[in-house]
Amino acid sequence: MPPHLVALVQYRRRQTILRGLGYPVNGRREAWYVWNLVRHHLRERRTLFLHLDEAQDLAARGTERERQSVVNLLKSLMQDPEWPVGLILSGTGELADILNFAPQLGRRFQPIRFDPVSEIADLEKVRDLLSAYVAKTALFADDGIETEEFAARLVHASANEFGLVIEIAIAAIEVALLRRATSLTVADFAGAFRRRAGCIDGLNPFLAQNFRRIDPRELLADEGRIR
């Protein structure tokens, strides 16, 4: 990432933190000023933990100087003598590049890797997760979504990503609630995926017979994409 873009990402991230703390900053301010505000409001609000999502964007592809700057900023939060804050960083594999760049920073974290969801090993876990979400609602699960085949369809529709399994499940529940249904059905999942991908039914993993031939990451897929 070009140096000016790295600096822009870092600056916007600090502004986002301030907005989350209830102190939006209007207009362009010096980076050091914004960062001091972040530290001040973390302390004033007695914030114990700060979660930074997509943390690989901080400086994964930056120069050595830019990475060191990010390391110093993160360490300053964790080592603040007046109010140290615990950090939770989530992101793609590039996040490891930042942590491995400075071992003194990396050893302050406990890494957790979310491996891709597998149709072979994780179908029962996916079914249990879906049941747990449905149990939080007034809906009951239709028989069609309690099968291993449906769990396999959900895994494939989510491109084997755990986070997307959850997102699609929540979206399907929303579809069911909006139509004032009493049950959660396959059609609700198909509708959630259709809204997400803009695809025809023939390329919807919850409807197509040979769903594994479908690339779930493609948007607005039509007949011309059928292989």
Side-chain angles (χ1 to χ4, degrees), residues 99-190:
L99 299 179
N100 290 329
F101 175 76
Q104 70 273 23
L105 175 67
R107 66 170 176 260
R108 290 179 167 84
F109 289 89
Q110 179 179 346
I112 300 175
R113 182 191 300 273
F114 290 97
D115 293 321
V117 182
S118 167
E119 281 190 35
I120 298 176
D122 299 320
L123 290 187
E124 191 62 34
K125 296 177 184 177
V126 170
R127 293 171 66 187
D128 290 343
L129 182 145
L130 183 56
S131 296
Y133 272 87
V134 174
K136 296 293 183 180
T137 73
L139 301 168
F140 67 87
D142 187 80
D143 290 342
I145 67 171
E146 294 187 327
T147 66
E148 284 198 357
E149 180 188 348
F150 178 82
R153 288 176 179 271
L154 177 55
V155 168
H156 185 80
S158 305
N160 299 90
E161 294 187 12
F162 176 71
L164 290 183
V165 169
I166 295 176
E167 285 186 21
I168 293 176
I170 292 175
I173 290 172
E174 180 182 1
V175 171
L177 294 176
L178 287 175
R179 66 182 180 87
R180 301 184 182 279
T182 58
S183 63
L184 181 65
T185 68
V186 174
D188 295 317
F189 281 86

Side-chain angles (χ1 to χ4, degrees), residues 53-130:
D53 194 18
E54 302 295 341
Q56 76 280 352
D57 291 338
L58 288 171
R61 297 173 183 170
T63 65
E64 182 171 335
R65 180 178 179 180
E66 289 158 354
R67 289 190 184 187
Q68 188 61 54
S69 175
V70 170
V71 167
N72 292 340
L73 289 174
L74 297 178
K75 286 172 58 180
S76 71
L77 283 179
M78 302 176 76
Q79 297 177 325
D80 190 308
E82 296 183 30
W83 190 257
V85 175
L87 294 181
I88 302 172
L89 307 181
S90 58
T92 65
E94 291 179 316
L95 176 56
D97 295 337
I98 297 175
L99 299 179
N100 290 329
F101 175 76
Q104 70 273 23
L105 175 67
R107 66 170 176 260
R108 290 179 167 84
F109 289 89
Q110 179 179 346
I112 300 175
R113 182 191 300 273
F114 290 97
D115 293 321
V117 182
S118 167
E119 281 190 35
I120 298 176
D122 299 320
L123 290 187
E124 191 62 34
K125 296 177 184 177
V126 170
R127 293 171 66 187
D128 290 343
L129 182 145
L130 183 56

